Amino acid sequence: MNSIQIAGASRPYTREHAPVSKSVEGYILIITNLHPETTEDNLYEIFEEYCKISNIHLNNDKQTGFIKGYAFIEIVELDECIELFKIHETEPFEIFGNKLNIDYAFVTNDVNDRKSRSRNGNIDNNDRDLSPIRH
Amino acid sequence: MSNSFDIDPIERNKEFYFRFYSGGFRDIELGHEFLEFDIRHEPREEFAILRYANQTNYRNEDLIKKEVKVSILVLQEFIDIIRKSQILLESDRNWPKVTRESKQEIEIRYGKNKKLFKTKTIVSLSSIRNEEEKESLKIFYYLAQDLKTLVYSLISLHFKIKPFRLQ
């Protein structure tokens, strides 16, 4: 369940059902459980059939030089993200035999149709609060 | 304090908190310069909160502060990297002590368990070559590096505008 139809518009949600937040250039997806030898080309290869990837971050493990096991991809069109998750639900994507975990990376507290969860009643406070007490 | 514990990446009914700090008063003119980020997950929430702060007084830059909510899969990757580094088995007892000029901290809280690591800034691996605890310092160094790249990726993907896009 990665999207819900509300009055014709589809809203994206994460696996845990948190409303997705759009980033400045598009939607950011996180992919985990990647094989250490995965390359950017592997990612383009399996996803480009369903979506246009506008940015990839595939970070290395500083110690081994192989990739760390996660990647971020940026997709501008929401429809393409939803399509991708639909495919992933029926037949999970794999690279080198590793079944990938994919989800949106950023979420939001949707003020309109979700009550705020914060303890002090603030809806969405972007200011940093104090650091916790150090012992 | 030095007893070790493990984190269950699937468990979502316990509070999880991780903080990394690196900085110090290196220069009278530049004052306090630091990089700090933390990630917090409250029990049963379907998101975690990532905060990032960077203060450098070079060319009168202001404090940069960012806060963003990330999904559980991002949190799980965070926890996964921490667990695989095996930092939770280490202790900072024999590490170089912090100084006013350079301080690095990693704080990990999971439910009632808590661990805090403190040492002076590790500039490079060769700078810790002669330390007694160089193997555990190496774990700290690589964990900090790996988490920094993860956080930089998250912050830049969410906030940074690309100057132009190739079509």
Side-chain angles (χ1 to χ4, degrees), chain A residues 16-30:
Chain A
E16 283 75 22
H17 224 74
V20 168
S21 166
K22 191 180 182 203
S23 300
V24 70
E25 296 279 358
Y27 292 90
I28 312 296
L29 270 47
I30 179 171

Side-chain angles (χ1 to χ4, degrees), chain B:
Chain B
M1 187 60 205
S2 62
N3 55 328
S4 51
F5 56 92
D6 196 13
I7 306 166
D8 181 357
I10 309 298
E11 168 76 74
R12 293 212 285 119
N13 294 328
K14 277 192 186 176
E15 189 197 4
F16 170 79
Y17 178 74
F18 174 93
R19 181 176 60 85
F20 173 77
Y21 167 94
S22 173
F25 295 85
R26 245 171 300 177
D27 190 297
I28 292 167
E29 257 176 61
L30 295 180
H32 184 208
E33 294 190 299
F34 67 95
L35 163 79
E36 187 171 26
F37 59 82
D38 64 11
I39 186 163
R40 178 196 307 271
H41 177 251
E42 303 276 359
R44 288 172 294 282
E45 291 279 35
E46 60 281 89
F47 59 84
I49 297 173
L50 174 72
R51 300 188 302 168
Y52 166 92
N54 191 351
Q55 162 111 320
T56 154
N57 295 316
Y58 177 68
R59 290 190 174 174
N60 301 320
E61 275 282 353
D62 281 331
L63 174 63
I64 300 161
K65 280 197 283 189
K66 302 284 180 202
E67 177 175 326
V68 67
K69 292 191 176 69
V70 296
S71 65
I72 296 296
L73 193 57
V74 175
L75 174 75
Q76 283 171 346
E77 187 60 25
F78 228 96
I79 293 175
D80 198 50
I81 292 173
I82 294 164
R83 288 182 71 225
K84 282 184 181 156
S85 76
Q86 302 197 321
I87 187 102
L88 290 163
L89 302 171
E90 303 298 336
S91 154
D92 67 352
R93 207 174 306 134
N94 297 318
W95 290 5
K97 294 284 169 273
V98 300
T99 64
R100 188 181 142 82
E101 290 77 29
S102 77
K103 182 167 96 171
Q104 271 190 311
E105 282 180 353
I106 281 181
E107 181 184 343
I108 304 165
R109 273 192 275 136
Y110 179 60
K112 287 193 171 76
N113 295 309
K114 180 182 157 155
K115 267 205 145 176
L116 180 63
F117 300 91
K118 277 187 192 185
T119 187
K120 64 177 193 190
T121 309
I122 305 167
V123 186
S124 66
L125 279 180
S126 56
S127 68
I128 56 167
R129 205 173 37 200
N130 298 323
E131 290 293 338
E132 187 189 339
E133 292 270 339
K134 67 173 180 201
E135 287 308 316
S136 68
L137 282 167
K138 232 164 111 176
I139 290 174
F140 182 98
Y141 173 80
Y142 280 120
L143 177 65
Q145 292 279 320
D146 284 333
L147 291 179
K148 259 193 270 180
T149 36
L150 174 59
V151 170
Y152 286 151
S153 275
L154 281 165
I155 297 294
S156 71
L157 281 168
H158 192 63
F159 292 104
K160 246 192 206 155
I161 297 163
K162 261 177 279 176
F164 63 89
R165 183 176 295 134
L166 294 168
Q167 291 298 330

